[in-house]
Amino acid sequence: MTSIDDLFKGHNGTKRKLENPIEADPSQAYKSAKLQGGSDVKRSAQVEDENDDDEAGPALPPDFEDEEPGDDEEGRFFGGGLDENAKDAMDFLDAQDGEDVIKEEKYDAAWVRKLARDFEKKVNKNASLRAKYESDPTKFMESEGDLDDAIKDLSILSEHAELYEEFAKSTAAAKLVELLAHENTDIAIGAIEIISELTDEDVDGEQEQWDALVAAFLEADLLGLLISNFSRFDESDPTDASGVYHSLSVLENLLSQPSNTDMIGKEKALITWLLERIQKPEKPTTQNKQYASELLSILTQSSRPNRTLIADANGVEIFLTSLAPYRRDDPEKDSDEEEYMENLFNCLTSVVEEPIGKTKFLEAEGAELCLLLVRDGKTSKSRALKVLDHACGYAEAPTSNGPSTADTNTPPHIAVCEKLIEARGLKPLFSTFMKTKRPDPSQTEHILGIFSSLLRSLPGNSDPRFRLLAKFLENDFAKITKLIALRREYVTRLSTLDKSLASRKSGLSAEEREELEVENIPLRLSEGLYALQRIDATLAWLVAEDDGAKKAVVKGLAETDESLADVKKTLQAQLDGVLEVEAAEREVLEALVGFLD
């Protein structure tokens, strides 16, 4: 017997395919096909081509060829030919016909209620016929096509977000979500596309309107149905691949609101699917694989609980394994694969912020891989340094019952710092730091962060700490000289920026000046304040650790009429700034300030 899929695929106009759902933007291709009700009218009005010199029909009589219509006194063909009453009647009929053609739809509450009712009728009719004629698909195939058209008709709602709340009140919103479980995957995909379009963050509407519609969708189990559909889509089929794409698009739309981030992250089935999807071998990397990595990046960057959940789901090892091939091979520039690699590095960087992420990073030999990427990598080099910077950073000890590292007495951030030294990481770090030929600013900043973390975390009188200090002291304090040279560059950049900001404060009240300062904190950090803080913390540690290093620091600063007081000023400003400093970090900074007196 003929299957329902075969029958439906043969029904013209009901199955929508993107020409290339991976390379093109499926949402744009779909939007271009919506509601073409007026297009046929416009096409039928085109009666002749402007460039066509041939005239249709018989030629005019010779006497009339050059005459104007009004020249015919009899008016049989070109004049009136009608009395006044007949002309009035014809004018009235023409006006009525014109109104029927150009009458504009009124989009209001009544319109959306009618739209919802019509949609529900199509859904119910199809469900009824499917149940009644389960063994004879020909009996409900036509209703399937009608339902597909009804789904398309909902597209215009995205242009009238002011009606979202009214639509959300109807049962049509829930009916639309329920179609995600429809036996015909084409119908399910059509519903997903429309939900993606309606929830797009670029829809021109108020936040409460978007929230009302999303709340109705979520109440109808949108998340559960989206996730369950992943298992029945076969991405080797272009239509199913577009279904996955639009499903990921809906999830991204939901994640545009931070309040949804933790809720979505708790969906373990989703996390599992995303982690499996990014591991699927592909050449070239498809848009869906890249999109899955992007969602993981959003989930990890915006939520600490999500970072912990993904670490628990073996995410760190998966990220590291997926990134290992980029040790020597760079992805193609501006490709989906390059974005995929960037997303994985972002995921890893975020997860290793957490104590459990640091522990998993150590267990998966992440420090060793990142050092190989620093030594051999190209595009991956600066990303690997960023991961190490965050992995070495301070983190509160985990409160779980399980051990944080192989040594239960060692906090994870300290264990990472010790592993970095043990894995011979000082040589590639300092080699990169001392490069004089066009150094990468981002690489330099991450290395400065690593130096600061190592000096803060490595235990006193330990072998790893002595090895680190020896590197700073060797070659007549060359590394300290480089630190002070960098310090001058960042001080100059900050000074230039602060002068331009000072002019903006002129004439402002005290409250307005304070608001402006807070507003400009991110700019000042990116323009050199962050790097300057790391440098001065490192210099303070060296002053406290070694008399020879202290003399080298004092001498280097004096070359530009600066002193340890300037280093102290940076650290004190960090303590007194508007940004909150954690208690443990505050204690360290206060101790360093004391060494500089």
Side-chain angles (χ1 to χ4, degrees):
M1 183 178 67
T2 306
S3 71
I4 176 58
D5 287 336
D6 291 336
L7 286 169
F8 189 76
K9 288 175 182 175
H11 183 64
N12 292 332
T14 58
K15 182 169 182 177
R16 298 179 306 285
K17 282 191 176 183
L18 299 170
E19 290 184 4
N20 192 331
I22 305 304
E23 294 179 2
D25 182 350
S27 62
Q28 293 301 318
Y30 177 72
K31 288 178 183 178
S32 67
K34 64 183 179 182
L35 289 180
Q36 299 178 8
S39 60
D40 291 337
V41 176
K42 293 178 182 177
R43 284 196 294 271
S44 64
Q46 296 173 352
V47 295
E48 63 180 31
D49 191 325
E50 291 181 2
N51 297 322
D52 191 354
D53 295 328
D54 296 328
E55 296 185 15
L60 293 176
D63 294 340
F64 294 153
E65 283 187 351
D66 298 323
E67 293 182 10
E68 293 295 328
D71 294 340
D72 179 18
E73 293 181 2
E74 305 255 342
R76 182 174 179 184
F77 294 103
F78 302 101
L82 296 173
D83 60 28
E84 291 301 318
N85 290 335
K87 288 173 63 178
D88 290 343
M90 292 296 290
D91 291 342
F92 174 78
L93 291 174
D94 288 344
Q96 291 297 104
D97 290 341
E99 287 181 6
D100 290 341
V101 173
I102 64 173
K103 184 177 180 180
E104 293 186 5
E105 185 76 66
K106 185 178 181 181
Y107 299 104
D108 54 14
W111 171 84
V112 80
R113 286 194 292 268
K114 182 179 183 301
L115 179 73
R117 284 195 305 270
D118 291 345
F119 173 72
E120 290 180 61
K121 287 178 183 178
K122 300 285 179 63
V123 174
N124 293 336
K125 181 179 178 181
N126 176 249
S128 175
L129 291 174
R130 265 188 168 269
K132 186 175 181 179
Y133 302 107
E134 183 178 1
S135 60
D136 188 0
T138 58
K139 296 293 181 63
F140 57 77
M141 186 178 71
E142 185 177 350
S143 73
E144 214 108 301
D146 292 339
L147 177 56
D148 189 68
D149 290 337
I151 294 171
K152 288 180 181 179
D153 288 345
L154 296 178
S155 175
I156 197 169
L157 187 59
S158 66
E159 300 173 12
H160 301 279
E162 71 277 5
L163 300 173
Y164 273 15
E165 291 172 287
E166 189 68 35
F167 184 75
K169 293 176 185 177
S170 70
T171 55
K175 291 283 187 183
L176 178 60
V177 174
E178 289 170 9
L179 289 180
L180 270 63
H182 198 279
E183 292 88 341
N184 188 333
T185 55
D186 293 73
I187 294 293
I189 291 170
I192 293 169
E193 291 178 10
I194 286 296
I195 292 174
S196 173
E197 188 173 342
L198 294 177
T199 58
D200 194 299
E201 61 179 324
D202 291 332
V203 167
D204 187 16
E206 300 298 327
Q207 185 64 47
E208 56 268 21
Q209 295 163 351
W210 188 91
D211 289 342
L213 185 60
V214 168
F217 286 159
L218 292 174
E219 188 176 346
D221 196 24
L222 173 62
L223 274 180
L225 291 172
L226 276 175
I227 296 167
S228 64
N229 263 335
F230 286 131
S231 61
R232 71 166 176 161
F233 288 149
D234 177 8
E235 291 188 64
S236 62
D237 177 82
T239 303
D240 281 11
S242 75
V244 172
Y245 177 91
H246 286 292
S247 297
L248 296 173
S249 177
V250 172
L251 292 169
E252 184 185 23
N253 293 344
L254 297 178
L255 287 169
S256 67
Q257 295 304 309
S259 57
N260 292 328
T261 305
D262 288 347
M263 173 193 65
I264 294 174
K266 290 177 182 176
E267 298 287 341
K268 292 184 179 180
L270 174 62
I271 299 300
T272 299
W273 185 87
L274 289 172
L275 290 172
E276 289 176 351
R277 185 64 185 83
I278 64 172
Q279 298 178 78
K280 184 178 179 181
E282 292 178 349
K283 280 294 181 181
T285 299
T286 64
Q287 191 174 20
N288 282 350
K289 184 176 182 179
Q290 180 271 323
Y291 212 162
S293 69
E294 185 175 333
L295 286 187
L296 284 168
S297 178
I298 295 170
L299 287 167
T300 54
Q301 290 186 71
S302 55
S303 168
R304 293 195 67 181
N306 286 348
R307 294 197 279 269
T308 299
L309 288 169
I310 289 172
D312 278 330
N314 201 35
V316 173
E317 183 168 353
I318 290 171
F319 298 145
L320 288 167
T321 302
S322 301
L323 287 169
Y326 300 111
R327 176 182 169 187
R328 289 192 174 94
D329 297 328
D330 277 353
E332 183 182 345
K333 196 72 175 173
D334 298 324
S335 64
D336 285 324
E337 185 178 6
E338 184 180 48
E339 289 188 41
Y340 164 78
M341 183 195 75
E342 290 279 4
N343 288 332
L344 293 190
F345 270 117
N346 288 337
C347 289
L348 188 58
T349 300
S350 298
V351 173
V352 298
E353 286 272 358
E354 303 302 320
I356 186 174
K358 297 179 191 297
T359 299
K360 297 289 186 180
F361 183 70
L362 287 170
E363 293 172 353
E365 299 183 346
E368 290 88 338
L369 175 61
C370 284
L371 287 172
L372 288 173
L373 293 172
V374 171
R375 190 188 69 186
D376 302 328
K378 297 176 184 176
T379 303
S380 60
K381 182 171 185 173
S382 61
R383 281 75 172 174
L385 285 168
K386 183 178 180 180
V387 172
L388 289 173
D389 184 7
H390 287 255
C392 291
Y394 171 78
E396 295 181 2
T399 56
S400 62
N401 294 327
S404 59
T405 64
D407 180 355
T408 56
N409 295 319
T410 305
H413 65 283
I414 294 178
V416 173
C417 290
E418 291 177 334
K419 173 59 71 174
L420 193 61
I421 306 296
E422 179 188 325
R424 302 176 182 272
L426 292 179
K427 182 175 181 180
L429 287 176
F430 277 100
S431 295
T432 303
F433 176 68
M434 294 301 289
K435 278 185 177 179
T436 56
K437 187 178 179 180
R438 299 181 64 182
D440 184 326
S442 65
Q443 291 182 15
T444 300
E445 290 188 12
H446 292 311
I447 291 174
L448 291 173
I450 294 171
F451 288 164
S452 178
S453 294
L454 290 174
L455 287 166
R456 182 196 190 284
S457 299
L458 291 173
N461 298 321
S462 67
D463 180 66
R465 191 173 191 86
F466 289 141
R467 290 167 64 183
L468 175 63
L469 290 172
K471 278 289 184 182
F472 280 108
L473 303 181
E474 68 184 9
N475 297 331
D476 197 23
F477 308 106
K479 279 77 174 181
I480 293 177
T481 302
K482 177 67 178 287
L483 278 173
I484 294 174
L486 280 173
R487 187 182 190 280
R488 291 193 195 104
E489 292 179 18
Y490 290 119
V491 167
T492 301
R493 284 170 54 182
L494 268 176
S495 177
T496 302
L497 175 64
D498 288 342
K499 286 178 181 177
S500 66
L501 295 178
S503 63
R504 294 174 56 191
K505 294 180 183 179
S506 178
L508 298 179
S509 65
E511 183 178 349
E512 289 172 331
R513 285 197 297 271
E514 185 177 344
E515 289 179 359
L516 185 61
E517 287 180 8
V518 173
E519 179 185 325
N520 288 314
I521 286 174
L523 179 59
R524 297 189 75 240
L525 286 169
S526 64
E527 280 298 305
L529 179 58
Y530 173 83
L532 180 61
Q533 290 172 346
R534 302 286 83 75
I535 289 174
D536 283 358
T538 299
L539 293 176
W541 277 113
L542 293 172
V543 166
E545 293 275 348
D546 185 85
D547 289 339
K550 181 177 181 179
K551 291 178 181 178
V553 171
V554 171
K555 179 182 177 182
L557 291 171
E559 291 179 2
T560 51
D561 296 326
E562 292 180 303
S563 67
L564 294 180
D566 294 287
V567 176
K568 179 180 178 179
K569 182 180 177 181
T570 301
L571 303 183
Q572 190 62 55
Q574 191 175 350
L575 284 168
D576 300 337
V578 295
L579 292 180
E580 183 180 357
V581 179
E582 294 182 0
E585 187 69 17
R586 178 172 291 277
E587 183 179 348
V588 171
L589 287 173
E590 288 174 347
L592 290 177
V593 167
F595 289 130
L596 298 171
D597 286 334

